Amino acid sequence: SVAMDPQLAEYRRKMAQRAAQQAAPAPEVTELSWLERKFRLGPVCILGWQWVAAVAVVGFLLTNFVGPMFPALLFLTALLAGILFLTPPETKAMILEEAQVEQALGSVALPRWQWGCGVVVAATFLGGWILGWVLLGGLGYLAYQRREKLESI
C-alpha cells in the first residue's frame, strides 16, 4: 500500500473542516455595533454614528469658524442683543413680517430670512472673501447678459 503525503492529508482534513463549517448555520449576531446603538444625552436619544457626525460638525465649526472669529462673533452677538432689547415691539413685528416676504431668484422663491441663512452658511464654508468674489462675478455675468440694455441707459 502507498502512504499518503502528510501535506496532502492535512490539506484534505482542513478542506473537510471548512466544508463542515460552511454547511453549519452562521451564529446570529445579537449585539449591535456601537455605531448602531442608541445613546441618550438628556432628552436627546440618537444612534452612535449620528453622535459622531454631530461632534465632527461642531468640531469643524469651532475650529474653523468660531475660534478665529470669536471677537467678531462676540461683537455681533452684543449688537443683536442690543437691537432686540432696544427695538419696540411694533418694529419687531414689522421686521418679522418683512422677513417672511418671498424673494424670487430665477425659478426659486423663498422667504427673505431663508436667503439670509443661505448667505450666512455660504460665508461660513466659503469665507467672506470668496463669497464676495462669487457675488461680484455673478453681478458681472448678469450685467454682461444685459449689456445692450445697460449701454442704452
Side-chain angles (χ1 to χ4, degrees):
S1 108
V2 178
M4 188 183 296
D5 182 24
Q7 285 181 335
L8 181 60
E10 179 67 17
Y11 172 76
R12 287 183 176 169
R13 186 184 67 73
K14 284 187 178 181
M15 292 304 289
Q17 214 175 22
R18 281 189 192 155
Q21 285 176 348
Q22 288 176 352
E28 281 192 37
V29 178
T30 57
E31 188 173 325
L32 294 174
S33 145
W34 67 272
L35 291 172
E36 296 171 336
R37 281 192 218 137
K38 286 191 175 186
F39 293 94
R40 180 176 296 280
L41 181 63
V44 180
C45 182
I46 60 176
L47 298 174
W49 70 267
Q50 292 171 329
W51 280 113
V52 171
V55 167
V57 167
V58 168
F60 168 79
L61 290 175
L62 286 176
T63 57
N64 293 313
F65 185 64
V66 175
M69 298 183 193
F70 185 72
L73 289 173
L74 195 60
F75 177 69
L76 288 174
T77 304
L79 281 177
L80 286 174
I83 290 170
L84 284 175
F85 286 121
L86 297 175
T87 304
E90 307 83 37
T91 309
K92 285 181 193 175
M94 184 183 69
I95 291 171
L96 289 174
E97 208 173 282
E98 192 67 28
Q100 292 300 326
V101 172
E102 286 201 352
Q103 191 75 32
L105 182 66
S107 63
V108 179
L110 295 172
R112 289 181 179 165
W113 70 269
Q114 288 181 358
W115 287 111
C117 289
V119 169
V120 169
V121 169
T124 301
F125 290 103
L126 297 176
W129 289 102
I130 294 174
L131 187 63
W133 283 111
V134 167
L135 291 174
L136 191 61
L139 287 174
Y141 177 72
L142 290 173
Y144 182 76
Q145 283 183 334
R146 295 166 176 80
R147 64 184 178 276
E148 292 174 4
K149 185 177 180 183
L150 291 172
E151 287 173 354
S152 67
I153 294 177

